[in-house]
Amino acid sequence: IELSEEHLRIAVEIEDLRSEILALGNLGASAGALGEFEKAGQYFDRALRLARKCGDAREEARILYNMAVLSQMTGETGRAIH
């Protein structure tokens, strides 16, 4: 997690949106694995906004998949299938 946080800090500092998306996705996945579902959702939401801003459909799809998995883990299956 520390390395992903450092990755995010550097990506923001150098204004590299694609690296920022990757770092946020990694942090979201890590938070989810640790059971920190609200934090994971926040990371994924930020990553999704940036992916859409960049027009990066591949990253958008990956993030949406991760958000669906998170929704299933938290019992929000209605959100996962929409």
Side-chain angles (χ1 to χ4, degrees):
I1 293 176
E2 290 177 24
L3 293 175
S4 290
E5 288 172 342
E6 180 70 5
H7 176 193
L8 177 59
R9 186 192 66 73
I10 292 169
V12 170
E13 184 178 302
I14 64 172
E15 299 179 5
D16 183 344
L17 291 180
R18 293 192 193 285
S19 287
E20 190 173 344
I21 293 165
L22 290 173
L24 288 165
N26 289 339
L27 286 165
S30 296
L34 293 172
E36 298 175 3
F37 303 125
E38 185 175 332
K39 194 174 194 180
Q42 292 170 354
Y43 284 128
F44 289 142
D45 285 340
R46 284 177 58 193
L48 183 60
R49 282 193 304 275
L50 290 176
R52 287 178 171 163
K53 179 179 178 179
C54 290
D56 190 333
R58 180 172 293 163
E59 283 303 311
E60 182 178 349
R62 185 180 67 83
I63 296 160
L64 287 169
Y65 170 79
N66 287 333
M67 292 173 88
V69 170
L70 182 65
S71 293
Q72 289 176 331
M73 292 171 68
T74 60
E76 296 180 39
T77 54
R79 183 172 183 222
I81 59 173
H82 281 87

